[in-house]
Amino acid sequence: MLTAEANTLRISTMAESLIGSEIIKLANEVNELIRRGEKIYNFTIGDFDPAVFPIPHLLTDLIIKAYKDEQTNYPAANGMPVLRTAVSHFVSRTKQLDYLPEEVLITSGSRPAIYATFKTLLDPEDVVIYPSPSWNNNHYCHLSLAKGVMIETQPEQFFMPDASLLEPHLKNARMIAFCSPLNPTGTVFSKKQLESICDLVLQENERRKGTEKPLYVMYDQVYSSLLFEGTKHYNPVSLRSAMRDYTIFINGISKSFAATGVRVGWAYGPKYIINRMAAILSHVGAWAPKAEQIAVASFLENTKSVDTYLEQFKDEIYKRLKAFHDAFVNLKLKGYNVDCIAPQGAIYLTVKFDLTGKKTAEGKTLQNQGEVTSYLLKKATLAVVPFSAFGASQNSPWYRISVGTCTGENQIKEVMVKLEAALSELS
Ligand SMILES: Cc1ncc(COP(=O)(O)O)c(C=O)c1O
């Protein structure tokens, strides 16, 4: 049903039917409660509190210096050569992959790189396969008029897709959108899982050779610098070199260096595709600011500063995720209907609140997962995002806790006391 204004000001069907981010909607509701004076433990948003997690000091200094050096005119459309070179070195050092600077595109955060990948590879109605839960693929499909096919994943596989789930859909697909470590779950692809998928993609592309457009993989690894306790990150090209022709990588500084507001991201892949992505974005103008690009280039080349920052940053993130995880394991042992998956990467923890059908102290039955989310918010003052906001079914009992704004273990203790009290009231 269109509003009166929308009825008069008719716009494109795509824009009219575009829905906003479900996570931002929830975060806004939570912020409204906070504004009204309620104390809420808000672990919804995949962002950082800069007072808890500042960007590297060296990066701040380099950005200020670049502005003082008047690096304020247009950057090169595909990114400043110094940054493309620094990214090429960073990729070689951290992922053992060889990509030349001309195979790298710099964008204003990772989002434009994702958008450009969709716009470059897909025609309207082309099929994109992506797992659910996952982050925002539905919106990128909508923007590029593609058809999304969601593959529902299971907790037993840590919510990562197996080849067998994808296989029935590959024949008609143009692209698969993957992310590892995954937002919202904080889990990663195992080597075996990803190898089997690469083998399927290569087999499918062998079948298509010369007759149909290839099947591509967009591989988003924005959280790949944040891995814990011996967890390994795998990528399609390291596992199967022939995947190089079909893989577009997405990365950036937003999550690795707590720099979500600095807006520097990148893509790398086959040069022809990267050039077409740059051409699309040159009209959008989604470049990272020139001063930030020059600063990030110097920062990334300072490998000692990068490694020192990451070590300490990862340690702080992991401490929080582990404290939450241990607390949930403890609640489960006490017999509450909760569960949790051990953290592997990113800034997220997967937890389960299996509480539908339970009765509150006021005698009201929690009828559905939406009521469970509300109960947690009102009684435990805990705000977390249900997996339904990432494409899982409305009755999925799984949730994402994000620790980017968590002040530390004391705060976790406080909220877990409230949570246990709220759970103990249910019968
Ligand atoms: C998986 C994933 N990719 C990309 C992004 C976008 O990052 P950026 O802030 O660099 O645009 C996010 C942000 O939450 C994300 O979770």
Side-chain angles (χ1 to χ4, degrees), residues 23 46-47 107-114 134-136 140 178-184 218 220-223 250-255 259-261 263-266 348 390 400:
I23 309 155
D47 197 1
T107 52
S108 169
S110 321
R111 276 163 229 240
I114 298 173
S134 67
W135 176 83
N136 273 9
Y140 290 105
F178 283 142
C179 173
S180 181
L182 180 66
N183 179 4
M218 185 187 81
D220 181 340
Q221 36 184 21
V222 297
Y223 297 100
I250 307 293
N251 210 334
I253 64 165
S254 292
K255 309 292 173 157
T260 48
R263 308 310 303 148
V264 179
W266 53 81
Y348 308 119
F390 302 96
R400 178 187 88 174

Side-chain angles (χ1 to χ4, degrees), residues 404-426:
T405 57
C406 174
T407 53
E409 286 170 73
N410 284 343
Q411 191 189 34
I412 296 169
K413 274 193 196 125
E414 271 170 38
V415 70
M416 291 310 289
V417 167
K418 294 205 165 198
L419 177 61
E420 183 165 0
L423 293 174
S424 69
E425 281 186 24
L426 295 172

Side-chain angles (χ1 to χ4, degrees), residues 30 39-44 324 328 351 353 372-385 399-401 415-416 418-419:
V30 173
K39 178 158 184 185
I40 304 284
Y41 294 89
N42 184 5
F43 301 119
T44 55
F324 264 125
F328 271 86
V351 296
F353 292 102
V372 171
T373 309
S374 278
Y375 183 78
L376 294 172
L377 186 59
K378 294 200 178 116
K379 270 281 151 120
T381 59
L382 171 66
V384 287
V385 187
Y399 287 76
R400 178 187 88 174
I401 292 183
V415 70
M416 291 310 289
K418 294 205 165 198
L419 177 61

Side-chain angles (χ1 to χ4, degrees), residues 182-208:
L182 180 66
N183 179 4
T185 58
T187 55
V188 299
F189 265 124
S190 72
K191 184 166 184 258
K192 212 163 139 244
Q193 266 176 325
L194 194 55
E195 278 176 338
S196 314
I197 292 171
C198 290
D199 288 340
L200 276 186
V201 172
L202 291 173
Q203 199 183 313
E204 174 61 19
N205 280 334
E206 199 50 44
R207 185 189 71 79
R208 293 186 190 189

Side-chain angles (χ1 to χ4, degrees), residues 338-393:
V338 298
D339 208 345
C340 163
I341 293 180
Q344 299 175 352
I347 57 172
Y348 308 119
L349 187 73
T350 292
V351 296
K352 185 183 187 189
F353 292 102
D354 210 355
L355 305 176
T356 47
K358 294 271 178 196
K359 216 182 236 174
T360 68
E362 294 77 30
K364 187 182 167 304
T365 303
L366 300 176
Q367 304 280 2
N368 54 46
Q369 212 55 45
E371 292 189 3
V372 171
T373 309
S374 278
Y375 183 78
L376 294 172
L377 186 59
K378 294 200 178 116
K379 270 281 151 120
T381 59
L382 171 66
V384 287
V385 187
F387 275 14
S388 55
F390 302 96
S393 81

Side-chain angles (χ1 to χ4, degrees), residues 271-308:
K271 191 172 155 194
Y272 173 68
I273 295 174
I274 288 293
N275 281 344
R276 298 323 294 166
M277 287 166 62
I280 290 172
L281 291 186
S282 73
H283 297 300
V284 182
W287 310 298
K290 185 178 177 189
E292 272 83 337
Q293 290 198 37
I294 287 168
V296 171
S298 300
F299 175 70
L300 287 182
E301 298 284 24
N302 190 329
T303 55
K304 194 159 172 277
S305 292
V306 167
D307 292 347
T308 308

